[in-house]
Amino acid sequence: MAEMAPGAGSHLKKPGGRDIVAGLSVAGLLLPEAVAYATIAGLPPGRAVYAAVAGCFVYALIGRSRFAVVSATSSSAAILAAMLATFPGDAATKSVLATLSIAIAGLVFLAAWALRLGILTGFIARPVLRGFAFGLAVSIILHQLPSITGVPVKADDIFEFVAGLVRSIPHWQPAGLIAAALSLAVLFGTRRWPLFPAAFAVVIVGAGLSLALNLPQYGLKETGALSLTLEWPQMPSLVWADLSRLIQLTLPLVLILFAESWGTMRALALRHGDPIEPDRELAALGFSNIAAAIVQGMPVGAGFSAGNANESAGAQSRWSSLIAAVALTILVVLAAGLIAHLPEAVLAAIVISALAHALDPSPLIRLWKIDRDQWIALAAAAGVLVFGVVNGMLLAVAFSVAALMSRLALPQIARLGRLPGTHDFADIARHPEAQVPAHVGIWRPSEALFFANAERTLATIAEQAEADPAIRVVVLSLEETLNLDSTALEAIQETDRRIAASGRTLLLARARDPVRDILTTAGAVALVQRAYYSVEDTADAARKIITEAQSHAP
């Protein structure tokens, strides 16, 4: 049995030094991110702080990824803002609607866990996750640049956004560029000392210098003060139509949280060989969002930037998430006034540093080298950049499913011959030395026969057999076919009649018991009697048929 990765088990062990450093580093990232994401959602920053603390605590107790940091995310904040904009009412009413939506999202996740819908994650292939991670990293980093340049860029798509960045070059603020460059130099330069909480230090030093030197006078915008008031929610008067619409609008929120969270968890797990359980993660996300709703926070998921920061800092277990929650609480209580002076350019540099190693193209280059699934990974990366997280992920999943269906629907058909001196049969196109039995044609489809390929595949085999007058026995190897659906069953029976009408005999090789059972049930008893468990036995039977036919020939 393979050794389980550190922190991948179900129990939390004692935290190590790397967990403490990672927790402090993540806390240094979560606080300024909370301000940014709450601003996107149109909610007080304190809600994002509460959500991060609750999400980190609950996920550490229930989840299984040692790197995942469950807090507010930019994508879910944007969707929440769009959803709240469709409802009338003042800020207090929309705040309650946000809390209700978060609770609904948590219940949907728990329902998916109860129904064991984690199996659906199997449709997200590894190339999709790798492309997703790369595309999302590029997207997030690009959107940090306006905070560094000091010039806002409004755009509806990535192309317009990049064009806007280029057009804004003459107006870039030098102070922001210098602050970001110095921050990145510290963040990258201290990576040789993994126990040093660089992100945490940069937050404190950056905010302190901004306060001491009055950096806003040089064009550096600060994140602003945190509001940490917690009021008892007042339930708005909702009719069923409004509640139904709220539930419908929450479903995209659930989808974005799931897509981003699972993409982050799985991508990080793949890098380190960590096992994670999809259903368990659904439960963890469900309870985390319920907790976020209870503290009147924001929707929470496994954010890509925070997860990568946790990994970069060397987290060894889920203790890093708990430590981040505690550190974040202490930070907002003791240093909220100082953090208000953190320059946005420094925050952007922290986010960029956390995502920099996610830009490693080697996993994608490897796909090109082995010539497998590279277009799926490219579609995932491009889809996230062009269409956003949810649509990009759905596009990549659809692309991977379409590629799978294309391969299954158009199987390769190999004609087999016996390898000299062995009992093995192989594709004669790949093995010219393989010997084809006289007057026998043995064909093997590369995929299982089913409704999408059976008729076309068997018709091709029949045509190839009919094109060779010397062939008297046709052998169909069902090595890849474990069972038959009704279409494949009827196609085999029709092929048997077609081959018999041409004066030839059809034999089945590698016919498994389920295939024989369905043939027997369908009344094809004569065909079952011509079915064998190995290609060698089938070839021997074919030779006997030919010998007997030749002995009766005039």
Side-chain angles (χ1 to χ4, degrees), residues 101-458:
S101 176
I102 299 165
I104 293 171
L107 293 175
V108 173
F109 274 119
L110 293 179
W113 164 60
L115 295 173
R116 297 294 186 265
L117 295 183
I119 191 175
L120 296 179
T121 59
F123 288 94
I124 306 178
R126 292 187 179 191
V128 171
L129 292 172
R130 292 187 175 109
F132 169 88
F134 187 85
L136 190 57
V138 172
S139 177
I140 294 175
I141 288 175
L142 283 176
H143 283 85
Q144 301 308 308
L145 297 183
S147 296
I148 294 175
T149 64
V151 182
V153 177
K154 295 182 178 180
D156 295 327
D157 57 63
I158 192 67
F159 303 107
E160 186 178 344
F161 182 83
V162 172
L165 277 176
V166 174
R167 288 194 299 267
S168 69
I169 290 177
H171 308 288
W172 285 5
Q173 299 292 327
L177 296 173
I178 294 172
L182 291 175
S183 299
L184 288 172
V186 173
L187 291 167
F188 286 120
T190 55
R191 286 188 175 181
R192 68 186 69 181
W193 301 296
L195 294 182
F196 179 69
F200 189 86
V202 166
V203 167
I204 299 300
V205 173
L209 288 176
S210 180
L211 176 62
L213 303 177
N214 191 20
L215 293 182
Q217 67 176 327
Y218 300 104
L220 280 179
K221 185 179 179 182
E222 297 177 338
T223 57
L226 290 176
S227 174
L228 299 175
T229 57
L230 184 62
E231 300 178 356
W232 189 258
Q234 300 294 323
M235 181 60 65
S237 56
L238 291 177
V239 297
W240 169 247
D242 291 334
L243 183 59
S244 175
R245 185 156 64 96
L246 183 64
I247 294 173
Q248 294 174 24
L249 293 174
T250 301
L251 294 180
L253 178 63
V254 173
L255 185 58
I256 190 77
L257 287 172
F258 172 75
E260 188 168 10
S261 298
W262 180 251
T264 298
M265 293 173 185
R266 192 71 179 118
L268 293 173
L270 286 174
R271 292 180 197 165
H272 301 270
D274 292 355
I276 55 175
E277 308 166 32
D279 289 320
R280 185 85 182 193
E281 301 308 328
L282 287 173
L285 289 173
F287 284 114
S288 296
N289 276 279
I290 293 293
I294 291 174
V295 299
Q296 301 175 54
M298 287 180 59
V300 292
F304 193 76
S305 56
N308 275 269
N310 203 19
E311 180 202 27
S312 297
Q316 296 295 302
S317 74
R318 297 190 306 280
W319 269 108
S320 62
S321 183
L322 286 172
I323 293 169
V326 173
L328 180 60
T329 302
I330 295 174
L331 194 59
V332 297
V333 171
L334 300 182
L338 176 63
I339 299 302
H341 297 282
L342 178 68
E344 289 186 354
V346 175
L347 164 61
I350 295 173
V351 174
I352 292 173
S353 171
L355 293 173
H357 74 294
L359 296 178
D360 179 11
S362 57
L364 302 180
I365 293 174
R366 180 178 178 274
L367 295 177
W368 287 94
K369 287 182 178 179
I370 64 176
D371 194 22
R372 287 293 184 274
D373 302 324
Q374 63 268 37
W375 296 110
I376 295 174
L378 185 61
V384 169
L385 286 170
V386 177
F387 302 109
V389 175
V390 172
N391 292 331
M393 177 69 83
L394 291 177
L395 175 64
V397 171
F399 195 10
S400 61
V401 171
L404 170 64
M405 292 304 298
S406 175
R407 186 173 71 247
L408 294 177
L410 299 170
Q412 296 179 349
I413 302 173
R415 186 172 179 182
L416 308 183
R418 186 195 298 270
L419 294 175
T422 72
H423 300 291
D424 300 324
F425 286 77
D427 184 357
I428 60 175
R430 289 179 172 270
H431 301 273
E433 73 278 12
Q435 300 169 353
V436 178
H439 306 295
V440 179
I442 307 173
W443 283 274
R444 180 186 64 203
S446 62
E447 305 293 344
L449 297 179
F450 71 114
F451 66 88
N453 66 17
E455 293 181 356
R456 183 185 300 106
T457 300
L458 294 177

Side-chain angles (χ1 to χ4, degrees), residues 474-494:
V474 178
V475 176
L476 172 62
S477 177
L478 298 175
E479 181 175 343
E480 304 297 333
T481 303
L482 303 180
N483 211 330
L484 298 173
D485 60 21
S486 60
T487 301
L489 169 66
E490 293 176 7
I492 287 179
Q493 291 177 294
E494 292 167 358

Side-chain angles (χ1 to χ4, degrees), residues 9-12 53-65 68 70 280-281 283-285 287-288 291 317-319 321-322:
S10 59
H11 302 290
L12 282 172
V53 173
C56 286
F57 264 113
V58 173
Y59 182 82
L61 298 176
I62 301 175
R64 288 295 177 263
S65 171
V70 174
R280 185 85 182 193
E281 301 308 328
L285 289 173
F287 284 114
S288 296
S317 74
R318 297 190 306 280
W319 269 108
S321 183
L322 286 172

